Amino acid sequence: MGSNFLATSAGCNVSVEIGPHSCEIVTVDDFEILCRVSVDASQTPVGRFPVSVRIPTAGKAVGQSDEISILLTSTVTKLVPSAGSLIGGTELNISGRGLTANSALIRIMVGSTECDVASATPSGIRCIVQMQESESDGEESAVEVFLGGQKAACGTPGGDCQLTMSDAATPKLRSVSPSSVTAGTHLVIHGSNLPIDKPTVFVGPFECVVVVHNTSTVICE
């Protein structure tokens, strides 16, 4: 809030910047500007930034005290799944506010190991969990999200950002047949706790394309 924001036709061209980020004008009158922060994907989305207001017919606005600044924060709101494999490889989906699409600015820790970022948007990050130092069933590992070195707050419904390492959530292979294959041969894999979503199968360095899958059987060729 302030004064002399000039609610005239020139008011439509008022511009607001919060550090390196722009703020899209929603409404403006003589005493108040309402804007929506648009985060620059190449810059860190969190931290304390100065607020700059420019009015075309008058120039830059000046604060009545010290430099006016605002703290931009990020919050983790949801983690899926809540339990993962004891030996790693779980795809962890992190939802939140104030995240970033720039994976170079993201660092995610699950327990003592880094979770490899696979994709990122301003509202969600997907990473692949690595095997933890301890493989104890039921052990809870803290999930920490850092953006540009700043830690995101945990705002999940339960108030705890954790992933439970669970034997029940660990896929198990029971058999693979036949034991010898050539190109085009169907490979049948039996097990338990296999993924509901379509898995990826490799035989050495070669991908075996999945044609049938459920939680106990995968067939690929």
Side-chain angles (χ1 to χ4, degrees), residues 37-77:
V37 179
S38 179
V39 174
D40 183 339
S42 67
Q43 304 291 330
T44 179
V46 295
R48 183 167 291 280
F49 300 103
V51 177
S52 174
V53 177
R54 182 178 179 276
I55 301 167
T57 57
K60 285 189 175 181
V62 62
Q64 292 183 347
S65 56
D66 295 334
E67 179 183 69
I68 297 175
S69 63
I70 188 171
L71 181 64
L72 298 183
T73 62
S74 56
T75 303
V76 173
T77 57

Side-chain angles (χ1 to χ4, degrees), residues 142-162:
V143 177
E144 299 175 297
V145 178
F146 297 89
L147 306 173
Q150 300 289 322
K151 184 179 176 180
C154 177
T156 59
D160 55 343
C161 290
Q162 295 180 328

Side-chain angles (χ1 to χ4, degrees), residues 105-215:
L105 296 174
I106 302 170
R107 184 168 183 254
I108 300 173
M109 298 297 296
V110 177
S112 60
T113 63
E114 194 159 346
C115 193
D116 296 334
V117 176
S119 64
T121 71
S123 60
I125 301 170
R126 181 170 58 91
C127 69
I128 308 302
V129 179
Q130 303 304 304
M131 185 170 66
Q132 302 297 294
E133 292 181 358
S134 172
E135 300 176 27
S136 301
D137 182 30
E139 180 173 333
E140 294 181 336
S141 296
V143 177
E144 299 175 297
V145 178
F146 297 89
L147 306 173
Q150 300 289 322
K151 184 179 176 180
C154 177
T156 59
D160 55 343
C161 290
Q162 295 180 328
L163 180 68
T164 302
M165 301 307 164
S166 168
D167 180 69
T170 303
K172 299 177 179 63
L173 301 182
R174 187 171 67 250
S175 65
V176 178
S177 62
S179 59
S180 177
V181 297
T182 58
T185 302
H186 281 117
L187 188 66
V188 181
I189 302 168
H190 292 291
S192 58
N193 290 338
L194 301 182
I196 296 174
D197 296 330
K198 186 176 181 180
T200 302
V201 178
F202 283 88
V203 179
F206 307 106
E207 183 173 3
C208 188
V209 179
V210 174
V211 293
V212 175
H213 68 92
N214 55 47
T215 56

